[in-house]
Amino acid sequence: MAVLVARPAAVRPDGGDRRRGLLCRAGSRAGGLVLLLVLLLGVCLLSLRVGSVELSAQTVWRAFTDFDGSNEHLIVTSLRLPRTLIGLGVGAALAVAGAVMQAVTRNPLAGPDILGVNAGAAFAIVTAVFLLGVVSPSMYVWFAFAGAAVTTVLVYGIGSVGRTGPSPVKLALAGVVVTSLLGSWTSGVLVFNERTLDEVRFWLAGSLAGRDLGVFWQVSPFLVGGTVVGLLLTRQLNALALGEDVSRSLGQRTALVRAGCAVLVVLLAGGAVAAAGPIGFVGLAVPHVARALVGPDHRWLVPYAAVLGPVLLIAADVVGRVVARPAELQAGIVTAIVGAPFRIHLARRRKLAGL
Amino acid sequence: MATPPVEHARPRPDAGPRRLTVRSRRVPVSARLSVRTAALGAVVAALALAAAAWTMTLGEFPVPLSDVLASTFGVGTADPAHDFVVRTLRLPRVLAALLAGAALAASGAVFQGLVRNPLVAPDVIGVNAGASLVAVYLIVVTGSALLLPAGAFAGALVTAFAVYAFTWRRGISGSRLVLVGIGVNAVLGSLTTLILVRYPVEEIAPAVLWTTGTLYGADWRDVTVLVVGLGVLLPPAFWLTRHLTALQLGDDTARSLGVRAEPARAALITVGAGLAATAVAVAGPIGFVALIAPHIARMLAGPLTGGVLLLSASVGALLLAASDLVAQHAFAAVSLPAGLVTAAVGAPYFLFLLYRSNRLS
């Protein structure tokens, strides 16, 4: 008979405690990362196979090695592959952006979606479609990028004025108000212009579908480059997470690092929203999950986030294809619904500073 | 005796603003109003009425002010067309703007007092989003406007209590309420988007119009909804603000002052959410009035009391009536939704407030 004995955390044989995460040895952390990569591979394969037409792994494989122009092969290469690649890039970008923001602001509730990135991008796209008659998604990308970048800087600036710096509540309020201002302009335009509404509403839901490889190639330099830079900056993030003074006394040029991180977040979040539309929650939640696994050391946290982000986003996309058959739920809506309890839990759990 | 009688009515230099005590012998109700607040309230209300009267003279079919007043008060005018335009088309819209503005502002004042955070309003914590979700569903899926006010009202109220319940953890903390509310707001927003991407564009267009917040097409039925809503909710809001002062000192102090903290807070949330819901049910999710009007009222008259609540309501009425005036007539060719104007004015003002409160902190 199995006897379960509750073991207090303090006497765990590996000496680990919760603050350092579940995996606390370098070996187990590396192993975990490999496992996650395998998981990511599996999710990608699912993403190539599952949908309105179910395909076998063999068919998927042949579509790459032995392309014969059949419908099945076309579905894989022209629909599902771009979708999966965009999921990879966007998921990693959002998660790394979230991790960097949480480190720089030392704020557990920071995340790209809170900073009005999405509203800024939507605003720019709607304005572009309405005023300039832009119709091609490949032009969307640049407007979305610019809108996201400007809004991020604006909200962060508004939210962090003052001696206390960017407190969670201040940032969130600045974000939500800028979002509602831009949102009201956006819907004002949409009221008067049904064509724009029709063009834009699918983008507004946040989705990996309907983007071709061209969009991916346009954005991938930002997504991939940003993710790589994020992975290289982890030591600086570790220092910065200790606070301004400590980090400076460790010899870091904090202003420079902060500015670099800000540029990085703008590139990552802007690129992500340009490619996939407003996808919430991934950037907020994934760093928390990674922290629960490996603790606060950014040398592990950021790589974990970079792998967990795409796992989560692609899984949400696959779920969205399955639950509402024959139609699809947009990935952004799936992540919002799945993320709600997490978000509320986070708001309840933390001891948060007031204004 | 030679000494003159003491004159109690004269303001003593240390006594703060002069107050007026209103008391009835029949009904066990009394209220103390600052004379200054009452006077300010009257002035602002008069301005709101003036804006309303001006609005009614404007339009494709100009009506002179004398006829507007005559029609409004039922005297009847020489030109029956004027009667029709004023009484059927313009008066309900203008009244709806005044009353919805008042309801939103009173709701904002209650929430801000309750959460002790001057930057909170029902539109920030998801109450408007809850109403919008239900309204968009009703417009797009059922295509009928009949249930709209009731549905939007229910959506707002349910959201307010959901946010309250999610925030409750051995009491309510202001910043937790904001963060939970913003989260709920995001989810409701994306559910609304979900509806908007699933139906053909012709069917969702009216719903999108509704979500911008507009008084377009307000009729007497809407006015009735607002009158009933304000009539039922404003007196308790006025009465409950005295508890607000005690609650702001902290739960323990409030309890020692004889205020049961949790029931009082639940009552205040019900009243605040109900007021917002009434306005949203009629006019859609008009933003920023609930946020700004209480600020202006406090700037004019000091911290929230029953009198300042009424002043807020007047300011709200003025804000929305003026916004609707601008939205309808300032841009000759198009008539904008009023919510666009309130957002365009309100968001910069809010950001300024946030900036200032950051500088001070």
Side-chain angles (χ1 to χ4, degrees):
Chain A
M1 197 173 90
V3 180
L4 294 175
V5 182
R7 205 158 43 184
V11 293
R12 263 159 52 175
D14 52 3
D17 65 281
R18 278 193 61 198
R19 266 175 305 144
R20 292 177 57 198
L22 292 171
L23 314 169
C24 51
R25 283 191 186 152
S28 59
R29 284 174 175 176
L33 198 57
V34 171
L35 267 179
L36 276 182
L37 282 169
V38 172
L39 184 62
L40 179 59
L41 210 64
V43 177
C44 286
L45 184 61
L46 266 184
S47 167
L48 291 172
R49 287 185 51 199
V50 176
S52 54
V53 180
E54 300 278 349
L55 301 172
S56 69
Q58 243 176 352
T59 318
V60 171
W61 180 251
R62 281 218 202 90
F64 294 117
T65 56
D66 184 20
F67 183 74
D68 64 2
S70 67
N71 275 347
E72 283 86 0
H73 287 192
L74 273 174
I75 287 175
V76 172
T77 54
S78 62
L79 295 177
R80 297 205 183 145
L81 179 65
R83 196 169 176 165
T84 309
L85 285 176
I86 289 174
L88 272 172
V90 169
L94 287 172
V96 172
V100 171
M101 284 177 62
Q102 290 176 8
V104 172
T105 59
R106 306 179 72 201
N107 174 347
L109 284 162
D113 49 330
I114 251 179
L115 285 194
V117 184
N118 299 333
F123 171 78
I125 287 187
V126 167
T127 308
V129 173
F130 174 62
L131 292 180
L132 309 175
V134 171
V135 285
S136 79
S138 58
M139 283 299 289
Y140 276 13
V141 169
W142 303 115
F143 286 102
F145 205 96
V150 171
T151 321
T152 307
V153 173
L154 185 74
V155 171
Y156 187 79
I158 295 166
S160 57
V161 181
R163 257 181 287 138
T164 49
S167 85
V169 179
K170 268 158 46 181
L171 271 183
L173 275 170
V176 82
V177 167
V178 169
T179 299
S180 87
L181 172 66
L182 297 178
S184 106
W185 162 261
T186 306
S187 51
V189 169
L190 297 181
V191 165
F192 292 110
N193 195 316
E194 213 165 85
R195 192 183 57 81
T196 312
L197 174 61
D198 208 21
E199 296 261 343
V200 166
R201 61 190 175 129
F202 294 99
W203 186 87
L204 284 178
S207 168
L208 305 180
R211 277 77 172 165
D212 57 15
L213 270 177
V215 171
F216 177 73
W217 294 125
Q218 270 183 304
V219 188
S220 57
F222 303 106
L223 301 182
V224 176
T227 305
V228 171
V229 175
L231 290 170
L232 294 177
L233 272 178
T234 49
R235 296 166 73 83
Q236 281 77 4
L237 291 178
N238 272 349
L240 216 53
L242 296 172
E244 187 82 27
D245 296 339
V246 178
S247 149
R248 199 174 296 144
S249 70
L250 287 172
Q252 189 170 83
R253 295 158 75 181
T254 50
L256 193 71
V257 175
R258 272 175 190 277
C261 288
V263 173
L264 184 67
V265 165
V266 166
L267 292 182
L268 287 170
V273 74
I279 288 182
F281 174 66
V282 174
L284 173 75
V286 167
H288 283 278
V289 178
R291 206 171 291 125
L293 288 174
V294 293
D297 183 350
H298 288 85
R299 285 174 300 174
W300 285 105
L301 198 157
V302 177
Y304 264 76
V307 180
L308 272 167
V311 169
L312 180 63
L313 184 55
I314 296 175
D317 189 40
V318 172
V319 167
R321 288 181 227 173
V322 177
V323 288
R325 273 185 181 161
E328 288 191 359
L329 277 186
Q330 280 72 13
I333 287 165
V334 176
T335 57
I337 294 170
V338 173
F342 186 85
R343 220 184 244 273
I344 288 165
H345 167 72
L346 212 57
R348 282 168 60 85
R349 190 180 57 142
R350 297 277 168 174
K351 283 185 179 158
L352 294 158
L355 269 170
Chain B
M1 284 252 269
T3 41
V6 180
E7 245 180 297
H8 286 290
R10 191 197 292 159
R12 282 162 294 149
D14 59 338
R18 185 151 38 136
R19 295 192 178 270
L20 206 68
T21 304
V22 185
R23 189 171 281 140
S24 158
R25 297 209 171 168
R26 303 245 174 90
V27 198
V29 167
S30 70
R32 286 181 78 218
L33 284 176
S34 145
V35 173
R36 180 163 166 235
T37 308
L40 277 168
V43 170
V44 174
L47 283 175
L49 291 176
W54 187 26
T55 309
M56 286 195 282
T57 66
L58 300 172
E60 251 180 76
F61 192 91
V63 179
L65 186 61
S66 56
D67 279 14
V68 163
L69 295 178
S71 294
T72 303
F73 295 108
V75 183
T77 54
D79 188 347
H82 286 184
D83 273 345
F84 171 75
V85 167
V86 171
R87 282 190 205 158
T88 313
L89 301 180
R90 294 189 188 161
L91 189 57
R93 176 168 183 162
V94 147
L95 286 176
L98 290 171
L99 296 170
L104 284 172
S107 162
V110 168
F111 273 106
Q112 288 175 6
L114 192 65
V115 179
R116 279 199 276 171
N117 184 333
L119 304 174
V120 172
D123 34 344
V124 174
I125 60 165
V127 173
N128 286 4
S132 298
L133 176 61
V134 177
V136 166
Y137 177 82
L138 290 175
I139 294 174
V140 174
V141 179
T142 67
S144 111
L146 202 66
L147 284 173
L148 190 74
F153 189 89
L157 213 57
V158 168
T159 311
F161 273 98
V163 170
Y164 183 77
F166 292 144
T167 311
W168 211 90
R169 192 182 156 185
R170 278 173 282 135
I172 293 291
S173 118
S175 35
R176 202 161 65 218
L177 185 80
V178 174
L179 294 168
V180 169
I182 288 174
V184 169
N185 198 13
V187 178
L188 295 172
S190 74
L191 288 174
T192 307
T193 312
L194 175 63
I195 298 177
L196 295 184
V197 290
R198 305 217 88 173
Y199 289 85
V201 70
E202 308 82 44
E203 284 172 38
I204 63 164
V208 174
L209 174 63
W210 192 87
T211 59
T212 58
T214 175
L215 294 153
Y216 176 79
D219 55 20
W220 284 108
R221 201 175 59 121
D222 297 326
V223 176
T224 316
V225 170
L226 282 166
V227 168
V228 172
L230 276 171
V232 171
L233 294 168
L234 204 52
F238 182 82
W239 185 73
L240 285 165
T241 42
R242 67 184 69 194
H243 294 327
L244 217 52
T245 324
L247 284 174
Q248 287 183 352
L249 299 171
D251 281 13
D252 294 336
T253 316
R255 228 165 269 133
S256 70
L257 289 170
V259 174
R260 286 185 299 158
E262 282 311 324
R265 206 174 273 130
L268 277 160
I269 288 195
T270 313
V271 167
L275 282 165
T278 311
V280 176
V282 168
I286 289 184
F288 294 100
V289 174
L291 202 63
I292 292 175
H295 269 282
I296 297 177
R298 281 197 305 266
M299 212 161 65
L300 292 172
L304 185 64
T305 58
V308 177
L309 181 81
L310 297 184
L311 177 60
S312 286
S314 314
V315 174
L318 174 59
L319 269 180
L320 192 51
S323 295
D324 197 39
L325 172 64
V326 171
Q328 272 190 87
H329 302 300
F331 306 93
V334 282
S335 164
L336 298 173
L340 275 187
V341 178
T342 60
V345 179
Y349 183 76
F350 172 86
L351 294 177
F352 163 73
L353 287 174
L354 187 67
Y355 174 76
R356 206 183 50 180
S357 82
N358 284 354
R359 285 252 313 254
L360 297 178
S361 68

